Amino acid sequence: MSANLIQLLWDSTLQTLYMVAIATLLGTLIGGPLGIFLATSRRGELYSSPIANTVVGLVVNAARSIPFIILAVAIIPFTRWIVGTAIGTSAAIVPLTIAVAPFIARLIESSIREVDSGLIEAARSMGATPAQIVRKVLLPEAMPSIVLGLTLAIVSLIGFTAMVGTIGGKGLGDLGIRYGYQRFMPDVMLAVVIITIVMVQIVQTLGEWIAARFDKRAPRNRGR
């Protein structure tokens, strides 16, 4: 493999990491509050608003049900309006964010709903406000599960970045398609696959380690 292709692999890897990092950040900023709302707004819950819960739930489900490649193509005019172009890493971040935000919302909702309801009632009996319960009870208790959910979302985003390469996005997916497939260079395709696998393994391992650090029930190794 030539030095030029090695440089392309390096640049593409950085582009993929950039897209995943920014999309994860934006997706969490959007999906996080949505997930908290969905987990606390059914009838009789902290922020009881069943109608709003149903409407938001329908929107989230609708966004999740659209295949990513169709979503990315369908919102090209919106992407162009947001970033001024439909091609490149910055443009790819728009559909990536829209795809991952509802996914993160449902993951966070599920994580919060796993928290023992007795803890909520205990906090209520001590006079805690709904905001205090969310901040000091629900989120800390759900954090290990939330971290694992975000890990799953990041792994999914890595796969999405490969698909976005088919419509002008950069990154490893674009490199694999242009060189590995269209130019029949199996060594490039193999390199792309290996790098992607390594990225996923690193993300998964790191996510599990962070989740274990947040888990109060996990045994800790004590120095002797």
Side-chain angles (χ1 to χ4, degrees):
M1 188 178 295
S2 69
N4 184 48
L5 285 177
I6 292 175
Q7 184 63 46
L8 284 174
L9 280 169
W10 173 252
D11 292 342
S12 297
T13 300
L14 293 180
Q15 290 166 353
T16 295
L17 292 173
Y18 168 73
M19 289 187 288
V20 170
I22 300 301
T24 299
L25 175 61
L26 296 177
T28 302
L29 290 176
I30 297 171
L34 288 177
I36 294 171
F37 176 77
L38 288 170
T40 58
S41 59
R42 290 180 183 174
R43 190 178 304 278
E45 293 182 335
L46 295 175
Y47 297 102
S48 180
S49 183
I51 295 178
N53 182 283
T54 300
V55 172
V56 173
L58 288 173
V59 172
V60 168
N61 289 340
R64 288 181 61 201
S65 65
I66 304 174
F68 175 72
I69 191 65
I70 295 176
L71 171 69
V73 173
I75 66 168
I76 283 178
F78 177 72
T79 300
R80 188 178 290 113
W81 179 70
I82 291 291
V83 298
T85 180
I87 298 174
T89 53
S90 296
I93 289 171
V94 176
L96 289 171
T97 300
I98 293 176
V100 81
F103 185 47
I104 290 176
R106 284 303 187 188
L107 288 172
I108 291 179
E109 178 194 10
S110 177
S111 297
I112 290 176
R113 291 198 178 280
E114 292 175 359
V115 176
D116 186 357
S117 59
L119 295 174
I120 301 174
E121 294 305 319
R124 274 177 161 172
S125 67
M126 290 186 290
T129 65
Q132 289 173 328
I133 293 174
V134 170
R135 189 174 68 254
K136 296 183 179 181
V137 178
L138 293 180
L139 289 180
E141 290 293 325
M143 192 55 65
S145 181
I146 290 175
V147 171
L148 291 176
L150 290 176
T151 300
L152 178 60
I154 294 172
V155 170
S156 298
L157 272 176
I158 293 173
F160 288 162
T161 60
M163 286 187 279
V164 85
T166 63
I167 57 170
K170 298 294 183 180
L172 291 170
D174 175 63
L175 184 67
I177 291 169
R178 286 192 296 115
Y179 286 84
Y181 177 69
Q182 295 177 349
R183 301 189 186 185
F184 304 102
M185 300 175 68
D187 55 335
V188 175
M189 183 65 78
L190 179 60
V192 167
V193 170
I194 292 174
I195 293 173
T196 302
I197 292 174
V198 170
M199 288 173 59
V200 169
Q201 290 299 322
I202 291 174
V203 168
Q204 189 67 47
T205 301
L206 185 60
E208 291 174 356
W209 180 81
I210 295 174
R213 302 296 297 177
F214 277 110
D215 193 349
K216 301 175 183 177
R217 299 164 299 177
R220 306 281 180 167
N221 293 326
R222 299 181 182 275
R224 295 183 179 179

